[in-house]
Each structure stands twice: as C-alpha cells, then as structure tokens.
Amino acid sequence: MRNILSILTVVIAIIALWYVGSFFMNRAWVMDQAARAGETPSLMQQIEGTMTQDRAKLPAPHQVAQELWKGTVEKKVTSKRSLVYHGYITFQSTMAGFALGIFAGVALAVLIVVSRVADLALMPWAIISQTIPVVALAPMIVVLSNAVGFESLIVPKALIAAYLSFFPVLVSMIAGLRSPDGMQLDLLRTYGASQSQVFWKLRLPASLPYFFASLKIAVAASLVGAIVGELPTGAIAGLGARMLIGSQFGQPMIMWSALFAAAILAALLIWLVTGIEALAARMMGGRRA
Amino acid sequence: MKQLSARFERIAWPLGFGIAVLILWQVMVRAFNIPPAILPAPTEIGAAIARSTHILWIDWVQTAVKGAITGLIMGAIAGVAAAIAIDRVDFLRRGLLPVANFVAALPIVGVAPIMVMWFGFDWHSKAAVVVIMVFFPMLVNTLAGLAATDRMQRDLMQTYSASHLQTLTKLRLPAAMPFIFNGLKIATTLALIGAIVAEYFGSPTRGMGFRISTEVGRLGIDMVWAEIAVSALTGTALYALVALIERGVTFWHPSQRRRR
Amino acid sequence: MTKKPVISARDLDLTFETNDGPIHALKGVSLDIEKGDFVSFIGPSGCGKTTFLRVIAGLEQATGGDVSVNGMTPEEARKSRAYGYVFQAAGLYPWRTIEGNIRLPLEIMGFARADMPRRIERVLKLVDLEGFGRKYPWQLSGGMQQRASIARALAFDADILLMDEPFGALDEIVRDHLNEQLLALWAKTEKTIGFVTHSIPEAVYLSTKIVVMSPRPGRITDVIESPLPRERPLDIRDTPEFLEVAHRVREGLRAGHAYDD
Ligand SMILES: Nc1ncnc2c1ncn2[C@@H]1O[C@H](COP(=O)(O)OP(=O)(O)O)[C@@H](O)[C@H]1O
Ligand SMILES: [Mg+2]
C-alpha cells in the first residue's frame, strides 16, 4: 500500500515535470510567433500556446494521450493510420522472433551442456554475438533472406528479434540445466541411470523455473529487435516504421504516439509472459528459480 | 601442464570454430558463385577494409567514439549518481525503483527520432540516445547493488557509529560493484545499437549507420560488411575492456575467483 | 565489594511488532555485569540472547526499562568506542585484505594513519594470525576468518567485547582451540566480555558468570557465578567442579523449559 502510494507520487511527479518541460521547450515557438505578430502574450496565453502545438518539440502528456486515443480507438484497425494495425505488425514479428529465439536458445543450451566441445567452441561466440550491434547486421539479414527467397519482411525482422532474444534464454537454460548438484546427480547414478535419463528426469525439469524466468527479458529484447528491424529494412508498416515516417515528415506527434504505443505493447507482452510464468510456477508446485 | 592445456583449449576451440566458419563462407561463395551484391567472400571484405581504412576511421570516430562511448560514459555516470541520490531517500527508492524497472524493460531505442529532432543530426543526438538507453539499466543495477549488503554487515558499521557516507563508501559501494559492472556490460551492448539506430533518423554524411544505409542502396555490400566487421570488433573490444576492469575491481567476488 | 557495574540493565522489555502480532523478545530482564567479567548467555534459540546483546550495543531500542553502559546510554557508549562486536559469521569484507578489514573500524573512527600498522600488528598477534595480514578472507579457513573478525573487534581498544555465538559455525576441534585462545586473550587484555552460546561446556569453560535464559517471553531464569579459577586449562572440563556447574546450567535450562507446554 505504501509502495503504491510512492509509485503514484513518482508517476504524478514525472507527469508534472513533463508539463513544465513542455512549457519551456515549446515557449520559444510561441514567443516567436507573437513577436512576428507584434504582440506580447500573457502567461496564460503562453501556457495555452505551448500545450496545443501540432509540431511541439515536447508535446504535453494530454496531447500524446489524445493522439494515442485517436490512433487506437477512433481509427478502424485496418486503417494504415491505426496504431493497432502497426502494433499488430510489430507484434507479429516480435512473436515469431520470440519463438525462434526460444528454440535457438534452448537448443544451443542443450548442446552446450551436453558437449564440452560445443561449450568451448560456441559459448564465446554466443557472448560476442551480443556485443555486435544487430542494427548494423540488419540490412544484410534483409538482403540475404531476400536472396534465399523470402519476400515478406517478417522473416528478416523475426531473425533480428531472435538474434536479441535467444541470448537470455541461452544463459538461463545453461544455468538451469547445470543447477542439479552433485548429490542429486549421484543419487540417479546409484540407480544406474543413463546419461539421457539423467537429462530427461533431472536436468530438464530442474531447468524449467530458470527457463520461465528468462522469458520476460527475452520478450522485451525481441520487441526491441522487431522495432529496430523495421528501421533499415524499408518497412512501411510497424511501430518502428511509424517512427521513421514521423521523423522524415517532421511530425513529432507520430513519433511520440508510436513510442508510447511501443511502450504499451512492451507492457502487455511482459504482463502476458509474467502471467505465463506465474501459471507455470503454480503448476510446478510454486518452485522458482 | 594440465592448466596450460585447459587454457589452450579455451582459446583454440572458439578460434578454430571462427576460422572454420570463415573458410566455409569463402568456399560456399566461390563454389556457388554467389554475387558480391548478395554476399561477398571474406577475402573481398578484407580487401574493402584495406581499401577504405580512412573512411572506416572517420565513421568509427563519428559513431563509436563521439556517439556511443561519450554517451556510454555520461549515461553510466548519471545512472550511478542517480541511484546513490535516490537511495538516500526511502520514499524515492520505493516509488522510483518499480518505475525504473518498468522503463528499463521498454524499447527505449524509440526515443531516437525525438533526440534527433531535439539535438540535430550530428553526434550530440546519438550520444543523447545512448545516455537514455544506458541510464536505466545502470540505475536499476546500482540500486539493486546498494541494497545487496546483509543486515549483519550494516550492523557492524553501526557498532562503529559510521556515518551514511562512510557506510556508502566503505561497504555499500564496494559491495555493489558486481551489480554495477553487470549493468555496465548490458550498457556497452546497448551503446553501439543506440548510436547506430539514431543515425537512421538522420546524420551528417559520415558514421557507421549512415555508411551502411547508403552503401546498401548503392549495392556496395562489401563496404557494408566492412562496417559490420568494425562494429563487431568495437563492440567486442568494449565489452572485453569492461570485463577486464571488472576482473580487476571485483577480483574478490566468487564468480571472478572461480575463473582464476 | 560494591564495585560499580560496567553494564547495568534494569527491567528491560522489548516487544517486536510484527505482521503476526507482537513478539515479546525480552521481559523484565535485569542484570549487572562488572568490569573484567566474562558473562555467557545460554538458552534455547529464540529466547532473546541476540536481542539482549543488541540492546546492550545500542543496535536495538528497548521498549521499556533502562540500560546503562559505563554510566551512559548505549548510543553514547557506542560513540565513545566502548564496544567490539563479533557476529556469528566473520562478515569480513572480501574486497579487503585481513589487514584492510582490521583497518576498517580504525578508518571510520578516525585513528591516525601512522598509528594503524602498529595496532593491526598487535591484534593479529593476539589472535595468532601473524603473517596473514596480506591475505584475503576467502583465502583463509573458517576458524581463521573468525579469529580475524575478533582481531577487528579488538583493534580500537574497546573495553567491552560482545560476541554472538562467534564459534557456532565451527567444528568442535577448532572451537576448543579458539576457546582456549579466547581465555588467554581475556586474561591478557582484562576486557569485559558478553558471550552468547548454545553450548553448555563452552559457557562453563569460559565464564565467570553464566546467565540462563528461556523463551516466550525472553527472560533470565538463573544467574550462576562460576566457582572455577580464572586460570583454566582445557582439562578442567573433567573436574567435578566443572561438571557440577554444568549440571546446574542444565537444570536451569530444563526449568526454563517447564514453563511452556
Ligand atoms: N527484528 C526482529 N523483528 C521481529 N522479531 C524479531 C526480530 N529480532 C528477533 N525477533 C524475535 O525475537 C525473539 C528472540 O530472538 P533472538 O534474540 O534472535 O533469539 P536468540 O538469539 O536467543 O536465538 C525470536 O522470537 C525472534 O523471532
Ligand atoms: Mg541468536
């Protein structure tokens, strides 16, 4: 309860600061206009002028909220100007990349845990892969997937999303698969269990809580990948593409609403994954990593 | 002897794998006659690097040094400083930590077009994007690190009647170092991404992101790969540098001790 | 023999307000500890031994009654560097060497830099750790770490040493050895020691005064003045006097238990 109160206060403070910021950042334009018309605006006129600009440097919170409302509720979802439509495009590549990332992460983790050589040879490259900025690779991923015959942009976008999301899964799964301690392994050995039995009956179940714990980070990374993937790939649909369009046409409201739509999408995805994690934890008897 | 061969293996295997991939790449490109406009061979990329070192250098300074590293340093310092300030006030910590945690999980790259609008095409807007992207993971990790001391350690400081500042500098900051470096490692991987992404929203006629998008348009794919190679090397070197400093600073932490 | 006590507790009460209702950790606790005493606190876990020690050290506020230490409040006493506190775990900072750890309280309390090496040398010698100053804590055994934490508590010459089950996590052989060393140290430094333990033989072997406590609410059920001489070789534990005191402690613990169920 005390926490909720503090969070609320902080959020309100941020919004208040935002209004103050809007006032000061947008005032120059208002003064400019007034000077040209030979007027000196009162403080009230200034405030009003700074909160209603179409091309504000920093649109006020209610303007962004209005724009979001217009883009989601008032537009048909099939409209090319609907944020729901663009959000859905980004959501698609996010989920495709997420699934691909989970698959790649788990498969690599199993390989690395089972084989010492794979561990030595691949693990350093997995780490290095994350230090390489994907955005640099992105155009090449498009060129290559085009050359292989994938026309749709969803494939390269999903690949870029997977590139970012496989890593958290990989790291957690390795930790999870290696989490059984010597005593638990010895116990199975006294039963004469084979390596594959040890894997299926001990390592894999032990890794599940770690797996679910990694999904939240992975889905957030996947969304970043999907958005970033829309920038240099010539996409015209999707939240990333909206940001680019807003930037090219000098329309701040489009950028801001796309940014907040992306944030809302992220929140929804994380909320969803957290729910799945909680459900899985309950089914596994409340165990957690 | 055994230790020596273990270390040898740890270098030889990944190196061997990397070389094998490069050779396979070269052979495939030659064997299937893949046009350089789709995938140039490693040797061609090497030639492009050798041919255009000057351009690559200019782009690297613009994007990596002025954009990414400047932003990384400023964002990291700001994140740690903010964490220390917030940590002083219990109310702020309780209210801001969940908010910061939430924001850290959002696609912050999206602020790139706005920063370009505010700060212009040159490196300042790139550094600004990096500052914002780096700030939140640093803040969240530092706050977690400052909370990582146990009650007994704080009680000990209390038996000495230590001041807030003394407890901070002698106990809580050293104890937070592994967390801070964790944040820093995440931050280094974000910094280059932020700097390059921001260039897609506008840049002067230099910079790695700028070069990549224009060369893709002109089908100068070998040059694109040359930029990718430079960015990969930069990212890895930055990360390695942070890991090296981490090993020096947190040598006492169990995760570092085991590796010795 | 009307010496003024170093530590004096009168009718101490301490209630923790928790989510599951109040916990009466201390109730009506009165005790005098004189200079040079070695006082052990013994009792089942949860009877408030730690809490009592923490109240004496000013780490916890009593909700009723009075404590005075050297005629001051615990906070004042703490500011005048009256206590060295030793916890159950050594709690050494892993990023500091053993020397660095012993230097920690000296830095905080503002001792002169030039004075530090001499002090560190001296306490390392007291706990038999000469030559280990440059090592890191994690390079030492559990027993050595605990000795280092005692050295840390001794470094600033506090008159009162409060120890909360300092040897609880160590095996019995190491423990015997440390007990012997602690007695030697006590004889050399003439400190007043408050010592929490679970072990009857440890309490009897070390103490001049044994305080038996019992839980729910935490209170003192017996205070036993030991008739044993101050000079105590390890084999004193086989003498009839020793066994007699141990028997009394055991009886006291049992009587305390009879209150519940
Ligand atoms: N900070 C605290 N908050 C709530 N209850 C506490 C706290 N510290 C101790 N207690 C409770 O007070 C009682 C006495 O604890 P303690 O002094 O640690 O016992 P002992 O050291 O004898 O094992 C226990 O029931 C314990 O749960
Ligand atoms: Mg205790």
Side-chain angles (χ1 to χ4, degrees), chain B residues 151-163 166 170-172 174-175 249 251-253 257 260, chain C residues 54 58-60 78-79 85 87 89-96 104-105 107-109 136 138 152 156:
Chain B
R151 172 153 172 220
M152 196 191 80
Q153 290 175 314
R154 289 194 303 270
D155 281 349
L156 183 71
M157 296 307 268
Q158 206 189 333
T159 64
Y160 303 150
S161 296
S163 66
Q166 284 173 325
K170 299 209 186 288
L171 168 62
R172 300 177 64 219
V249 174
F251 64 91
W252 47 271
H253 194 257
R257 288 193 326 240
R260 293 206 149 181
Chain C
R54 290 171 62 84
L59 293 175
E60 211 86 67
R78 197 175 67 211
K79 297 223 167 70
Y85 204 105
F87 297 88
L92 300 165
Y93 292 176
W95 54 85
R96 284 174 173 247
L104 175 74
E107 288 170 9
I108 290 174
M109 296 172 181
Y136 283 94
W138 29 275
R152 180 178 59 187
F156 48 95

Side-chain angles (χ1 to χ4, degrees), chain C:
Chain C
M1 271 275 292
T2 47
K3 264 201 299 186
K4 215 163 162 235
V6 178
I7 299 168
S8 167
R10 285 284 155 272
D11 233 3
L12 275 188
D13 272 316
L14 200 157
T15 317
F16 288 110
E17 296 300 338
T18 70
N19 290 336
D20 315 321
I23 293 178
H24 226 136
L26 294 176
K27 184 171 165 56
V29 170
S30 299
L31 185 72
D32 282 337
I33 297 176
E34 260 131 52
K35 185 161 171 49
D37 268 354
F38 194 127
V39 183
S40 284
F41 301 89
I42 191 165
S45 72
C47 69
K49 306 181 293 290
T50 297
T51 306
F52 188 31
L53 221 57
R54 290 171 62 84
V55 170
I56 295 175
L59 293 175
E60 211 86 67
Q61 290 292 330
T63 44
D66 286 309
V67 215
S68 70
V69 177
N70 292 331
M72 298 179 266
T73 67
E75 279 76 30
E76 288 165 348
R78 197 175 67 211
K79 297 223 167 70
S80 69
R81 302 170 196 163
Y83 313 105
Y85 204 105
V86 180
F87 297 88
Q88 175 161 13
L92 300 165
Y93 292 176
W95 54 85
R96 284 174 173 247
T97 58
I98 297 299
E99 278 179 12
N101 270 285
I102 297 172
R103 202 182 306 115
L104 175 74
L106 304 178
E107 288 170 9
I108 290 174
M109 296 172 181
F111 279 77
R113 289 252 149 219
D115 199 25
M116 291 180 186
R118 192 183 52 77
R119 283 177 176 273
I120 294 167
E121 190 95 350
R122 197 196 67 211
V123 290
L124 278 177
K125 198 165 181 173
L126 274 176
V127 297
D128 219 0
L129 276 181
E130 294 140 296
F132 288 95
R134 295 282 156 80
K135 294 264 187 221
Y136 283 94
W138 29 275
Q139 296 170 323
L140 303 186
S141 71
M144 289 162 97
Q145 288 182 27
Q146 196 53 279
R147 275 177 3 225
S149 88
I150 294 172
R152 180 178 59 187
L154 294 171
F156 48 95
D157 287 328
D159 293 332
I160 303 166
L161 202 53
L162 299 175
M163 309 173 89
D164 189 357
E165 300 190 41
F167 309 139
L170 305 176
D171 67 61
E172 196 158 338
I173 297 166
V174 175
R175 199 173 171 144
D176 275 353
H177 182 61
L178 291 184
N179 280 341
E180 221 178 345
Q181 283 190 319
L182 181 60
L183 273 188
L185 194 149
W186 173 61
K188 240 184 284 177
T189 57
E190 299 178 333
K191 291 195 187 305
T192 313
I193 299 182
F195 187 96
V196 171
T197 176
H198 262 130
S199 151
I200 298 175
E202 190 172 65
V204 178
Y205 175 64
L206 293 173
S207 325
T208 55
K209 192 182 235 177
I210 301 159
V211 178
V212 182
M213 298 180 68
S214 85
R216 269 157 289 147
R219 63 200 181 282
I220 294 177
T221 49
D222 198 3
V223 178
I224 300 160
E225 300 280 349
S226 175
L228 300 179
R230 283 195 163 222
E231 283 282 313
R232 298 173 188 183
L234 263 180
D235 52 23
I236 201 171
R237 295 182 299 186
D238 301 322
T239 61
E241 291 87 355
F242 186 95
L243 295 175
E244 155 103 43
V245 181
H247 180 75
R248 251 193 85 185
V249 175
R250 194 168 294 118
E251 288 295 307
L253 285 171
R254 211 171 277 157
H257 259 309
Y259 281 86
D260 28 79
D261 58 44

Side-chain angles (χ1 to χ4, degrees), chain A residues 227-251 254-256 258-259, chain B residues 110 112-114 116 196-202 213:
Chain A
I227 292 175
V228 161
E230 285 165 355
L231 300 179
T233 49
I236 49 163
L239 295 175
R242 280 308 273 175
M243 292 171 190
L244 206 52
I245 287 165
S247 164
Q248 279 161 356
F249 292 94
Q251 295 283 356
I254 295 183
M255 303 191 283
W256 281 95
L259 174 63
Chain B
I114 295 160
V116 173
I196 295 176
V197 163
E199 289 185 4
Y200 289 129
F201 292 99
S213 32

